[in-house]
């Protein structure tokens, strides 16, 4: 496998995307026989981490609590599509909130859709926002994301955002089937998607605003939901690697995702914050970030 780092201006690229307190949920570990297996994992394909232009965070206002306000409720200043140089048209501003206008296509994203990112790479930070979904809605909040490209048949293609980024699940738990999949509720809202369930599970019904918090500090990650810490785990540890090995991002099932997520945030342990297009209506507002360096 060969990894490249590419500096370029952000161009419109072909997009192939799919998706994906009380006592906080913590990572569960279990013994396995992987060390004893001799079958080699599939090779990691050659890939490029794009190094596109970013915005200067110091030009954004700080609120009284010391958080940078990265969405002003009126403009997409600093935001663009993942792998694109502009905001896709399905992302709009609705009554002071960022809204994705669902296509009804689920994971089959359309050309005028795709994931949305804020064009600054964060390292140690605390993100706070509010979100709500439509009935049966599904989305996600991505963090430490990279823009990753591979080449197939001589053509460059952008890989899904979530193969390099942990995902804070955003979901209508009562009406979306994903809530009943996975293990122990690890696909319900605020969970570390497909790995750690949010405990307690205190999401509000569809159409109501939920508070979300994501804290990343020197590898420790905490998810908060509606003023409760519900998930805690630790990146770049043997436990993190083991969770990946037991997920759909294992080296056998998805070798590129395993390599990128195992070194989440790349060499500098930093990346983009993003919102997922999963084909359903979803809203985000009051988005602010505190730097913890």
């Amino acid at each position: 496998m060969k990894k490249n780092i590419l500096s370029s201006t952000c161009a419109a690229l072909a997009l192939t995307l799919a998706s994906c307190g009380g006592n906080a949920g913590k990572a569960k570990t279990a013994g396995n026989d992987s060390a004893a297996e001799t079958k080699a994992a599939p090779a990691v394909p050659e890939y490029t981490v794009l190094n596109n232009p970013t915005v200067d965070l110091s030009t954004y206002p700080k609120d009284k609590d010391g958080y940078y306000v990265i969405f002003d409720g009126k403009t997409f200043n600093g935001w663009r599509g993942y792998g694109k140089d502009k905001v896709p048209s399905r992302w709009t501003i609705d009554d002071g909130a960022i809204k994705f206008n669902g296509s009804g296509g689920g994971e089959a994203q359309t050309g005028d859709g795709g994931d949305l990112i804020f064009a600054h790479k964060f390292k140690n930070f605390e993100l706070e926002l509010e979100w709500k979904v439509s009935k049966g809605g599904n989305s996600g909040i991505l963090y430490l994301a990279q823009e990753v490209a591979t080449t197939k048949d001589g053509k460059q293609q952008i890989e899904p955002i979530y193969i390099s980024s942990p995902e804070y699940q955003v979901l209508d738990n009562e009406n979306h089937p994903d809530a009943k999949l996975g293990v122990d509720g690890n696909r319900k809202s605020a969970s570390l998607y497909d790995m750690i369930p949010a405990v307690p599970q205190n999401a509000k019904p569809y159409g109501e605003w939920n508070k979300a918090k994501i804290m990343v500090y020197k590898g420790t990650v905490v998810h908060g939901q509606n003023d409760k810490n519900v998930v805690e785990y630790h990146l770049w540890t043997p436990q993190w690697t083991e969770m990946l090995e037991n997920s759909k991002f294992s080296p056998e099932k998805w070798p590129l995702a395993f390599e990128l997520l195992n070194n989440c945030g790349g060499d500098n342990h930093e990346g983009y914050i993003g919102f997922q297009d999963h084909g359903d209506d979803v809203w985000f507002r009051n988005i602010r970030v505190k730097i913890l360096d």
Side-chain angles (χ1 to χ4, degrees), residues 32-66:
N32 61 65
D33 299 323
S34 60
E37 294 176 359
T38 57
K39 184 178 178 180
V44 177
E46 182 175 333
Y47 64 96
T48 298
V49 177
L50 304 177
N51 188 18
N52 287 315
T54 58
V55 298
D56 181 356
L57 195 63
S58 68
T59 63
Y60 289 77
K62 275 187 179 181
D63 64 17
K64 61 182 178 59
D65 300 315

Side-chain angles (χ1 to χ4, degrees), residues 150-194:
T150 55
T151 301
K152 184 176 182 180
D153 299 327
K155 296 182 179 179
Q156 188 183 62
Q157 62 183 26
I158 300 299
E159 294 295 326
I161 189 173
Y162 59 82
I163 71 166
S164 71
S165 169
E167 179 182 344
Y168 178 115
Q169 175 77 313
V170 168
L171 196 76
D172 172 8
N173 291 334
E174 298 303 317
N175 296 290
H176 195 287
D178 222 16
K180 298 178 176 62
L181 302 177
V183 178
D184 297 332
N186 66 3
R187 295 188 181 184
K188 292 185 178 181
S189 66
S191 296
L192 174 63
Y193 180 76
D194 206 44

